[in-house]
Amino acid sequence: MLLDDLINPTQSDELLDEFAKREIRRAMLAAVAIPGYQVPFGSREMPVARGWGSGGLQITLAVVHDDDVVKVIDQGDDDGVNAVNLRRLVTTSTGADQTSVAAEASVIQSRHRIPEDGLDEESILVLQVPVPEPLRGVERDMRELARMHAEADYSRMWVSLYEDKVRNGVITQTTGYPCLVNERYVVATTPIPRWDIPRLHESPFLTLFGAGREKRIYAIPPRTKVEPLTFDDVPFEVEDADGASCAMCKSSDAFLVSLPNSDVWMCSDTDWCRRTREANA
Amino acid sequence: MTTEVEYGRYPVARLAVPEWMLKVERLGRVYGPFDDAVIASTGPEVGSSKSALNGAVVAAWDVSFEVAAGEALGLVGESGSGKTTVLRCLAGDVAPSRGEARLRTAAGDVSMFELDPSARRRLRIDTLAVVYQDPAEGLKLNISAGGNIAEPLTAAGWRNFGNIRNRASELLTRTEVPINRMDDLVRGFSGGMKQRVQIAKALANSPSVVLFDEPTTGLDASVAAGVLDLIRSLLEEHRIAAIVVSHDFAVIEMLTSRCLVMQHGRVVENALTDQLLEDPHHPYTQRLVAAARS
Ligand SMILES: Nc1ncnc2c1ncn2[C@@H]1O[C@H](COP(=O)(O)OP(=O)(O)OP(=O)(O)O)[C@@H](O)[C@H]1O
Ligand SMILES: [Mg+2]
């Protein structure tokens, strides 16, 4: 690319210019170098509302090339309205191909789930983050938050877990469970369910978290220790569908969600469910 | 063998000079720009801690003392004399303008004012605790009594829920907070009970130094008497070095064995509490004592 192209980018379908991509890549490199640390970046306006995946979209646009294959899901569903919209933006802007099969995808953008299978060393998982600050619930002052992270002073977070357990008998936080990354920074795993938390630990793939409204990027590099904050004598537990199985594919070892006002359970990961049914047939 | 030690003008016979736990030298804190002339333009002789030269407030100057383990030192003086300023400098809430404060720890002596802010805060977790006049400053009112105690415990690395509960209930029992209030928000507690929770929290990690700033001033007399009794017995049973700030001689008399009298930012008298009350030396102290006795 010529300097002139950078200064006067030609009109194209690209949603991010080269300057913006570079800035995001720099932020991502810093995020990978300091696992769990929230790196500020100059979040751009995207044709989606901030808080609706604009941070994830910017990361995806900065990592995807035209030879990539992308999968985009919303609540584990490739056909959710938001997923369809974001996927269209990514593929038209970058020329990348699309898939619903996680194993075929090189970049997977998601808000609520990690696909049940198919992620490996070659995969990059991009998570859309509405609230990147795990300590937001216990502190609002930005300088104090910065200090708490700098000193790894997470006692207020522990107190909130203590209070939760005292008040409710169990730790009630379901999605976005706070985790200690690489024994150093606490991150918000927002808003994936507990079910997916253990899968972030020592995972083969790179996870990039993007918060567009809050202008933050953070990362969990491959093979990194990820520990949910929990007391020694209060084991971390994932969601339990009470022995239920998927009404469609009969799986009981996937993350199931119940249909409203019923005890009918279904896989949250729709593509995994489809492939399981095909394999059973 | 006995040694003669000068406390103020009184020769006092003691068996041994106690080893200090906290040693403060020439501590000073000025609000506003200052030089020697500004310092000289304030103090008891001038009758003000505010300089007529530039309006700077010399809130404390040349304050020196030692406190030993198991000893409680009083800081008395009227409103604005600089007591809280001294305490806050030691607590790390306020930066001193001058002076040194050395603290004896298991890992050796540390110069507190030379520590970086994060090391300073770590000291506050397990070595030096503060009990504030206003419980809202030392406690989070929208958290349970147990949760308030859990904070210093988790900061010190406690990660076992059952152990944290046990330690919190042990501390609340010791400070006479009904154990069935442990899981209630502190906001709903009476003033005296809040102060007891604050004391329980201060003791969580068995600090070697505890600073009390007017611990009973906001309380009704009968409630205050109970809290004072508690503080006194705690100081007796743990070998804590304590500093007790109060404008009330009854508090100083009950809790401390030795005290400093402050006026306009300066120490005007340093004596054993009994002797100070019986036979005050400095005219200012005489006035304070007379007022307290009347
Ligand atoms: N932040 C500040 N800025 C300017 N002056 C201050 C500040 N804090 C304290 N001072 C002044 O320093 C002096 C000493 O105040 P300090 O609070 O230490 O007194 P005190 O002996 O604790 O009084 P009290 O018995 O009323 O609590 C006072 O003149 C006060 O107005
Ligand atoms: Mg005061």
Side-chain angles (χ1 to χ4, degrees):
Chain A
M1 178 170 296
L2 297 173
L3 189 58
D4 192 51
D5 296 335
L6 281 174
I7 297 166
N8 303 302
T10 48
Q11 191 54 44
S12 75
D13 290 338
E14 296 217 28
L15 292 169
L16 278 181
D17 60 48
E18 289 302 317
F19 281 122
K21 287 185 190 171
R22 280 190 194 182
E23 195 206 328
I24 292 165
R25 287 175 193 144
R26 269 198 298 271
M28 291 188 308
L29 286 173
V32 168
I34 316 170
Y37 176 73
Q38 298 170 51
V39 182
F41 79 109
S43 185
R44 302 300 200 279
E45 287 297 335
M46 288 284 109
V48 291
R50 285 188 169 177
W52 284 91
S54 69
L57 178 59
Q58 289 175 79
I59 289 180
T60 301
L61 293 173
V63 296
V64 163
H65 292 273
D66 54 8
D67 55 355
D68 271 303
V69 182
V70 297
K71 169 179 167 75
V72 181
I73 49 173
D74 191 20
Q75 302 282 10
D77 184 357
D78 297 80
D79 297 324
V81 178
N82 204 35
V84 170
N85 184 33
L86 287 165
R87 185 166 52 242
R88 185 181 46 77
L89 289 169
V90 171
T91 52
T92 53
S93 175
T94 63
D97 284 337
Q98 55 176 285
T99 180
S100 63
V101 181
E104 292 169 2
S106 52
V107 177
I108 297 163
Q109 181 173 334
S110 164
R111 178 178 165 92
H112 305 95
R113 286 301 316 282
I114 301 175
E116 297 289 349
D117 69 346
L119 279 81
D120 59 21
E121 289 77 5
E122 307 292 312
S123 319
I124 296 177
L125 175 66
V126 177
L127 286 174
Q128 304 161 205
V129 175
V131 181
E133 178 50 71
L135 305 172
R136 181 57 49 83
V138 297
E139 179 61 57
R140 302 206 68 86
D141 182 80
M142 297 291 277
R143 293 214 344 245
E144 180 65 2
L145 286 168
R147 181 198 69 71
M148 288 160 81
H149 282 295
E151 295 179 5
D153 173 5
Y154 295 121
S155 60
R156 305 260 304 277
M157 190 82 217
W158 284 103
V159 170
S160 86
L161 293 171
Y162 169 94
E163 291 282 288
D164 192 8
K165 170 103 174 88
V166 164
R167 199 133 307 138
N168 304 300
V170 289
I171 293 175
T172 56
Q173 179 135 20
T174 49
T175 58
Y177 199 91
C179 291
L180 186 66
V181 173
N182 199 27
E183 303 184 335
R184 178 58 185 82
Y185 286 100
V186 169
V187 302
T189 52
T190 166
I192 62 173
R194 289 189 186 202
W195 181 271
D196 288 335
I197 297 290
R199 306 172 55 213
L200 290 170
H201 177 62
E202 306 278 2
S203 75
F205 53 89
L206 164 67
T207 306
L208 295 165
F209 297 79
R213 187 181 45 203
E214 309 261 347
K215 305 183 171 64
R216 292 285 186 280
I217 288 173
Y218 52 103
I220 299 174
R223 312 284 171 209
T224 302
K225 205 167 174 179
V226 176
E227 302 158 279
L229 293 191
T230 187
F231 295 105
D232 299 345
D233 50 346
V234 183
F236 176 82
E237 284 167 359
V238 299
E239 292 82 352
D240 178 10
D242 233 354
S245 55
C246 175
M248 291 171 76
C249 74
K250 310 298 174 220
S251 294
S252 55
D253 56 349
F255 183 62
L256 303 178
V257 287
S258 63
L259 296 179
N261 307 318
S262 80
D263 50 8
V264 176
W265 294 80
M266 296 224 292
C267 286
S268 140
D269 183 338
T270 54
D271 189 71
W272 191 82
C273 187
R274 175 186 63 78
R275 283 183 284 111
T276 309
R277 274 177 278 136
E278 285 172 11
N280 290 346
Chain B
M1 199 198 89
T2 57
T3 5
E4 292 263 295
V5 187
E6 278 283 328
Y7 279 105
R9 72 196 157 115
Y10 303 101
V12 180
R14 308 196 96 179
L15 282 173
V17 183
E19 284 247 13
W20 57 265
M21 175 69 75
L22 174 66
K23 184 182 173 87
V24 175
E25 281 172 307
R26 295 160 65 82
L27 171 63
R29 167 71 214 203
V30 182
Y31 289 99
F34 68 98
D35 56 17
D36 290 350
V38 169
I39 301 299
S41 70
T42 64
E45 297 80 34
V46 185
S48 173
S49 57
K50 183 166 179 154
S51 171
L53 298 178
N54 68 348
V57 176
V58 181
W61 198 256
D62 255 343
V63 178
S64 303
F65 58 82
E66 292 175 9
V67 199
E71 183 188 30
L73 174 79
L75 266 183
V76 269
E78 44 186 26
S79 185
S81 57
K83 310 178 296 291
T84 294
T85 299
V86 170
L87 213 75
R88 285 187 181 275
C89 286
L90 298 176
D93 297 338
V94 162
S97 306
R98 194 184 73 158
E100 200 186 1
R102 278 190 289 155
L103 182 68
R104 198 144 275 179
T105 73
D109 292 355
V110 287
S111 279
M112 292 202 291
F113 299 159
E114 282 159 28
L115 297 178
D116 62 48
S118 102
R120 205 59 216 280
R121 252 182 302 272
R122 253 174 281 136
L123 220 52
R124 279 287 292 273
I125 293 166
D126 55 12
T127 309
L128 183 146
V130 186
V131 175
Y132 295 95
Q133 174 178 346
D134 180 2
E137 203 169 338
L139 297 173
K140 302 228 162 42
L141 300 183
N142 56 354
I143 284 178
S144 70
N148 271 283
I149 295 168
E151 185 174 337
L153 294 177
T154 56
W158 291 50
R159 292 291 179 265
N160 184 290
F161 184 77
N163 292 351
I164 292 170
R165 297 283 293 168
N166 290 341
R167 176 70 177 151
S169 71
E170 174 188 310
L171 286 159
L172 291 172
T173 304
R174 181 62 197 88
T175 51
E176 292 155 19
V177 176
I179 210 64
N180 61 3
R181 302 299 305 272
M182 174 156 149
D183 296 336
D184 293 348
L185 299 190
V186 171
R187 183 175 304 288
F189 287 16
S190 69
M193 213 192 292
K194 280 182 190 147
Q195 220 45 327
R196 291 170 188 276
V197 175
Q198 211 194 159
I199 293 166
K201 176 184 175 182
L203 297 177
N205 291 313
S206 307
S208 48
V209 177
V210 182
L211 312 177
F212 296 89
D213 191 359
E214 310 268 7
T216 55
T217 300
L219 305 177
D220 292 344
S222 62
V223 177
V227 174
L228 284 178
D229 265 335
L230 171 67
I231 295 175
R232 183 161 72 172
S233 63
L234 288 171
L235 292 180
E236 275 166 14
E237 90 199 33
H238 304 278
R239 284 190 45 83
I240 292 171
I243 300 180
V244 181
V245 160
S246 182
H247 63 273
D248 182 349
F249 270 106
V251 172
I252 294 296
E253 185 172 20
M254 180 159 175
L255 296 182
T256 72
S257 53
R258 203 157 51 81
C259 74
L260 309 185
V261 182
M262 290 191 71
Q263 184 189 22
H264 302 304
R266 308 301 203 280
V267 175
V268 295
E269 192 155 359
N270 175 350
L272 291 179
T273 306
D274 299 347
Q275 295 181 352
L276 186 115
L277 288 166
E278 264 167 44
D279 183 15
H281 166 58
H282 194 278
Y284 173 69
T285 317
Q286 290 166 358
R287 265 190 286 125
L288 284 182
V289 172
R293 289 279 178 258
S294 62

